Amino acid sequence: MTTPHAADVHDLIRVQGARENNLKDVTVEIPKRRLTVFTGVSGSGKSSLVFSTIAAESQRMINETYSAFVQGFMPTLARPDVDALDGITTAIIVDQQRMGADPRSTVGTATDANALLRILFSRLGMPHIGSPNAYSFNVASVSGSGAITVEKGASTKAVRQTFTRTGGMCPRCEGRGAVSDFDLTQLFDDSKSLNEGAISVPGYTGDGWMVRIISGSGFFDPDMPIRDYSAKQMRDLLYHEPVKVKIDNVNLTYEGLIPRVQKSMLSKDREAMQPHIRAFVDRAITFTVCPECDGTRLSEAARSSRIDGVSIADACAMQITDLAEWVRGLDEPSMAPLLAGLQHILDSFAEIGLGYLSLERPSGTLSGGEAQRVKMIRHLGSSLTDVTYVFDEPTSGLHPHDIQRMNTLLLQLRDKGNTVLVVEHKPETIVIADHVVDLGPGAGQAGGTVCFEGTVEGLRASDTITGRHFDDRAAVKDAVRTPTAALEIRGATAHNLRGVDVDIPLGVLTVITGVAGSGKSSLVHGSIPAGAGVVSIDQSAIRGSRRSNPATYTGLLEPIRKAFAKANGVKPALFSANSEGACPTCNGAGVIFTDLGMMAGVATTCEECEGKRFDASVLEYHFGGRDISEVLAMPVSEAEQFFGSGAARIPAAHTILKRLADVGLGYVALGQPLTTLSGGERQRLKLATHMGEKGDIYVLDEPTTGLHLADVEQLLGLLDRLVDSGKSVIVVEHHQAVMAHADWIIDLGPGAGHDGGLVVFEGTPAALVADRSTLTGQHLAAYVGA
């Protein structure tokens, strides 16, 4: 037998002594060129091992191959806390980070599809209007002329130059597709004069500077009712450009009301506004489709240039599967390479199950699963081999029917000679693994160790949580609850819905299903009237910095701070690490960052407060025998007992803690930074926060995202308790265990995009299984073994 070549023996990725986040000296060997799935309950350390250790080190080492100059422009990554990492290859990370919600970012601009389309139109479009920039809604048209000085030899000479650039941006909405209009009745009461307090914008009070500037500007009679203003006075009040005015011997600037409100309020992120200002903005500003470009974002010239009667705006509005057909029909030998490239991108969309999107869809409106699959597009046709692809729950947001497709894609990537690492909870995907690494046994501090390594068969037989729950199949309920009323939706046409009429029963657990893109979210978020009594929990990500933690996010810190302050006779601000109680050395961060330019910055625990984040004097104040840093270090389950009875009883805090325990976050420390929570944990934190809102109807969008099979049972128990307490729960969900548990199912379809948008089934889960006429029915029947 011949000995293998020295280069062929490196067939393992070896991790030794990984300690990122909650990992406890984890040592694993992962086979290369195979598909390895990482399982375990939410918060057990899967992402810490795969993303924060293996993928992070790979990226850091690749960045180090660039020159110091180039590294200065790249994100600096610290070395993961691990003893040794051998055999790692280039990692390509396809995570679930939502795509930036920039108003100018669309599915077409986020992939290369728009760039190729623009070149196509600039070569073949008639009439010809210019370069590819002329078809881009992110490029404005500009022109200029003037003299430039040219130095030649000893003399300098002024030369007249003109400059023009034709862009495709619609000048009215600046490429956003929507314009904001002010509802003037919300800005002022036209029956009053300025002196009578006509202006109703927050902050523009009777004797405040803002009103004094307007009244004293000299443009208006401050005692005349606004409805009697002339057209010029009205224009001056609303739109006047900034001018200097002198009031009470002070030089001030007068500016029209609308530009001033735009600068002071609309330039801020909506989430960052104070509640009363946010309420005013929601009342006073309406976003309407731009009347000039009809929402296409493009200038008139760009819309007039056509290929076979189709403009670039029409092409971007088509469903991608239809656009692919149109591109296939273009016979233009001179453009063959470009058409082949565009064809490949569009076919990849269809292959990955996103053929129902259109290129003009804003990327901020994609769900987490859709965003992840859009990022996959560029890797599908890649000719790279021997790289490591790292996926974060690639099946999230996918119907069981679509999961088969995703499995095929993962196996194709592996068969090209790549190492594929997948963090996953769904048994349908775990089954295709060549190697499984199960982390646990619990979550948070109770996790972080390897419970099992080996084959899928070995996992099934093992006595781990994942092994025990692997073949769990929920049975369809025998008896279902009877609805108390119904929420009537008539003629719903949001997105791809085709005039849907449906009655959603109330007082029961209703599940809305259908393949990805069939119109579920459109029905729930676009047609259920938000407002009275509806608590809607969507998939948008939790925002939060290193300074945010479960205690600050849920509002739990507020009653705790007040109780500490009252017990010690000092002010509440002392008990906040973001306010007066912060350690002066590290400003309440607990760590000190040293920025080393292009090298990875170093974070060291603050020596002054030893990472406790508070000033030493604050820690001398106690409540119930504990100081504030000890309270923040408690896990939720311990804190629930601590604040539930005895000397430290705080009912308001106990209520919030009980909700956190209900959603299965009992192991999370109150002061743990939000940035270290896993996706599933953040989703449940959000659920716990919203459960406190007043409302009788709860609308949940895929609450099982990021949840282990064992956690799904707990979630179902929580949903049952909500319904039993008299609430109505409407869930958009693909997980068969949730479908089987429903009292009523509404199935949308039959396909995605314009093949969907219809109600294909309404009834009980048992009837859906017996009927088997829809894709959902067939998969649910197979799942429950009917």
Side-chain angles (χ1 to χ4, degrees):
M1 182 179 162
T2 56
T3 52
H5 191 287
D8 294 336
V9 297
H10 304 285
D11 52 3
L12 290 173
I13 296 176
R14 291 188 183 83
V15 181
Q16 273 181 335
R19 288 178 296 276
E20 276 295 309
N21 295 333
N22 66 336
L23 296 178
K24 298 174 184 152
D25 272 327
V26 167
T27 299
V28 286
E29 293 189 340
I30 300 160
K32 284 190 189 171
R33 301 177 204 86
R34 296 288 182 272
L35 194 149
T36 302
V37 174
F38 294 80
T39 62
V41 295
S42 176
S44 59
K46 304 181 297 298
S47 298
S48 302
L49 178 59
V50 179
F51 291 93
S52 309
T53 306
I54 300 172
E57 179 65 354
S58 169
Q59 294 230 295
R60 188 184 72 85
M61 294 178 85
I62 290 165
N63 287 2
E64 283 187 357
T65 62
Y66 298 110
S67 67
F69 172 72
V70 175
Q71 285 184 52
F73 296 99
M74 303 177 93
T76 52
L77 302 159
R79 186 178 185 282
D81 189 358
V82 59
D83 293 338
L85 267 174
D86 284 339
I88 49 177
T89 64
T90 309
I92 293 174
I93 299 174
V94 188
D95 60 13
Q96 282 205 357
Q97 286 288 312
R98 299 300 274 265
M99 291 180 146
D102 185 285
R104 293 207 182 87
S105 172
T106 63
V107 169
T109 58
T111 54
D112 295 332
N114 257 32
L116 297 180
L117 263 183
R118 291 200 300 269
I119 299 171
L120 183 70
F121 273 86
S122 72
R123 303 287 189 275
L124 302 180
M126 296 303 291
H128 177 72
I129 59 163
S131 71
N133 278 345
Y135 297 90
S136 168
F137 52 75
N138 287 328
V139 179
S141 296
V142 291
S143 58
S145 63
I148 61 168
T149 306
V150 180
E151 294 185 13
K152 285 188 177 172
S155 63
T156 57
K157 178 170 130 183
V159 180
R160 189 163 178 72
Q161 285 272 349
T162 59
F163 164 76
T164 58
R165 179 184 72 194
T166 310
M169 180 187 285
C170 164
R172 169 82 191 271
C173 64
E174 297 183 355
R176 287 187 169 90
V179 287
S180 54
D181 280 344
F182 279 83
D183 178 356
L184 297 183
T185 59
Q186 298 291 340
L187 295 186
F188 51 75
D189 178 350
D190 65 358
S191 64
K192 296 179 179 174
S193 68
L194 290 172
N195 281 349
E196 290 169 340
I199 296 176
S200 51
V201 179
Y204 287 66
T205 47
D207 54 351
W209 272 111
M210 294 296 191
V211 178
R212 281 166 70 184
I213 293 171
I214 298 170
S215 305
S217 62
F219 294 117
F220 329 99
D221 173 357
D223 292 314
M224 181 196 286
I226 292 180
R227 63 159 67 114
D228 298 338
Y229 282 12
S230 67
K232 180 177 183 311
Q233 286 175 318
M234 203 66 190
R235 203 165 48 249
D236 287 344
L237 175 67
L238 295 176
Y239 300 107
H240 203 292
E241 56 277 357
V243 287
K244 289 275 181 250
V245 290
K246 197 162 198 164
I247 295 166
D248 300 344
N249 287 327
V250 182
N251 283 324
L252 296 161
T253 303
Y254 170 74
E255 187 176 14
L257 198 53
I258 284 180
R260 189 175 277 272
V261 168
Q262 277 177 323
K263 281 179 196 161
S264 65
M265 295 179 189
L266 298 196
S267 57
K268 288 196 182 117
D269 181 22
R270 188 178 175 283
E271 298 290 318
M273 292 177 185
Q274 290 166 287
H276 68 289
I277 292 188
R278 188 184 310 162
F280 164 74
V281 168
D282 290 346
R283 277 198 319 272
I285 289 143
T286 52
F287 286 95
T288 50
V289 172
C290 172
E292 255 174 56
C293 66
D294 226 2
T296 60
R297 306 156 176 259
L298 291 157
S299 64
E300 198 178 338
R303 300 196 308 275
S304 68
S305 175
R306 297 172 181 270
I307 302 175
D308 295 347
V310 174
S311 71
I312 190 165
D314 301 335
C316 289
M318 284 183 194
Q319 187 167 309
I320 288 174
T321 44
D322 299 343
L323 180 59
E325 283 306 311
W326 179 75
V327 172
R328 213 171 261 121
L330 294 177
D331 181 26
E332 204 64 47
S334 62
M335 303 290 288
L338 186 137
L339 287 171
L342 183 56
Q343 189 68 57
H344 174 74
I345 288 178
L346 298 174
D347 287 344
S348 298
F349 270 104
E351 200 178 314
I352 210 163
L354 291 178
Y356 59 87
L357 296 177
S358 61
L359 294 183
E360 66 175 10
R361 170 93 174 254
S363 55
T365 64
L366 298 177
S367 69
E370 285 172 334
Q372 185 176 24
R373 285 182 287 155
V374 165
K375 291 179 199 165
M376 273 181 79
I377 299 280
R378 58 185 48 198
H379 304 306
L380 286 183
S382 162
S383 44
L384 284 172
T385 62
D386 256 338
V387 294
T388 301
Y389 284 98
V390 186
F391 290 97
D392 185 9
E393 291 184 41
T395 60
S396 75
L398 288 187
H399 187 269
H401 174 69
D402 300 315
I403 291 178
Q404 317 285 340
R405 264 178 167 163
M406 180 57 75
N407 284 351
T408 311
L409 291 170
L410 294 173
L411 293 170
Q412 277 173 2
L413 284 173
R414 177 201 68 185
D415 294 345
K416 272 176 27 184
N418 298 308
T419 307
V420 182
L421 308 181
V422 183
V423 171
E424 188 52 85
H425 292 291
K426 297 258 175 83
E428 298 98 314
T429 298
I430 300 173
V431 148
I432 64 166
D434 301 307
H435 188 74
V436 180
V437 177
D438 186 41
L439 287 150
Q445 287 309 306
T449 57
V450 175
C451 298
F452 173 81
E453 263 188 283
T455 61
V456 177
E457 288 312 310
L459 176 70
R460 271 199 169 107
S462 72
D463 191 30
T464 63
I465 289 193
T466 311
R468 288 198 296 274
H469 287 274
F470 196 80
D471 291 311
D472 277 7
R473 294 290 178 266
V476 175
K477 270 201 224 174
D478 296 330
V480 295
R481 302 178 181 95
T482 42
T484 51
L487 187 67
E488 295 184 2
I489 292 177
R490 296 289 176 265
T493 53
H495 299 308
N496 64 334
L497 295 177
R498 295 188 258 169
V500 169
D501 294 340
V502 67
D503 290 346
I504 299 179
L506 298 179
V508 296
L509 175 60
T510 305
V511 173
I512 296 177
T513 67
V515 294
S518 58
K520 303 181 298 298
S521 295
S522 306
L523 181 68
V524 169
H525 297 306
S527 311
I528 291 181
V534 177
V535 177
S536 183
I537 305 169
D538 60 11
Q539 283 198 327
S540 60
I542 278 185
R543 295 180 177 215
S545 64
R546 286 198 312 273
R547 288 179 171 276
S548 314
N549 53 45
T552 58
Y553 182 79
T554 57
L556 171 66
L557 197 57
E558 198 61 30
I560 293 177
R561 271 203 307 250
K562 284 180 178 159
F564 263 93
K566 193 173 171 189
N568 293 287
V570 290
K571 52 185 177 180
L574 282 176
F575 301 100
S576 167
N578 297 328
S579 185
E580 290 182 33
C583 160
T585 313
C586 62
N587 288 333
V591 287
I592 292 175
F593 280 91
T594 313
D595 182 19
L596 299 176
M598 71 204 77
M599 303 296 289
V602 180
T604 48
T605 303
C606 170
E607 290 177 5
E608 184 74 24
C609 65
E610 297 173 348
K612 290 181 178 172
R613 302 172 53 187
F614 290 91
D615 190 324
S617 62
V618 176
L619 300 181
E620 288 169 14
Y621 298 117
H622 287 76
F623 176 73
R626 305 281 184 106
D627 66 40
I628 185 76
S629 71
E630 288 170 338
V631 166
L632 290 176
M634 284 183 189
V636 167
S637 51
E638 187 187 330
E640 189 190 353
Q641 291 174 336
F642 180 71
F643 290 117
S645 59
R649 189 166 167 272
I650 310 176
H654 185 255
T655 310
I656 297 174
L657 288 162
K658 187 162 183 342
R659 281 190 215 120
L660 287 169
D662 277 349
V663 295
L665 291 177
Y667 59 88
V668 173
L670 304 187
Q672 185 177 337
L674 282 192
T675 48
T676 63
L677 294 182
S678 69
E681 288 168 337
R682 289 186 199 191
Q683 179 90 349
R684 285 183 287 166
L685 182 62
K686 191 167 160 186
L687 182 61
T689 310
H690 283 294
M691 274 170 55
E693 291 179 17
K694 296 272 182 285
D696 295 324
I697 302 174
Y698 283 81
V699 177
L700 311 180
D701 196 350
E702 295 186 28
T704 61
T705 304
L707 291 192
H708 187 266
L709 297 161
D711 297 325
V712 172
E713 284 181 21
Q714 188 168 2
L715 179 79
L716 288 174
L718 173 69
L719 297 182
D720 273 344
R721 285 200 299 280
L722 278 175
V723 175
D724 293 339
S725 69
K727 310 280 188 196
S728 305
V729 180
I730 301 167
V731 185
V732 173
E733 192 51 87
H734 294 293
H735 203 295
Q736 291 109 317
V738 182
M739 292 182 206
H741 204 74
D743 296 310
W744 191 258
I745 284 191
I746 296 171
D747 192 17
L748 291 170
H754 56 44
D755 299 329
L758 294 172
V759 172
V760 289
F761 178 84
E762 296 178 73
T764 62
L768 178 65
V769 168
D771 185 51
R772 291 189 205 197
S773 61
T774 70
L775 280 170
T776 309
Q778 291 157 20
H779 282 281
L780 186 58
Y783 172 82
V784 297

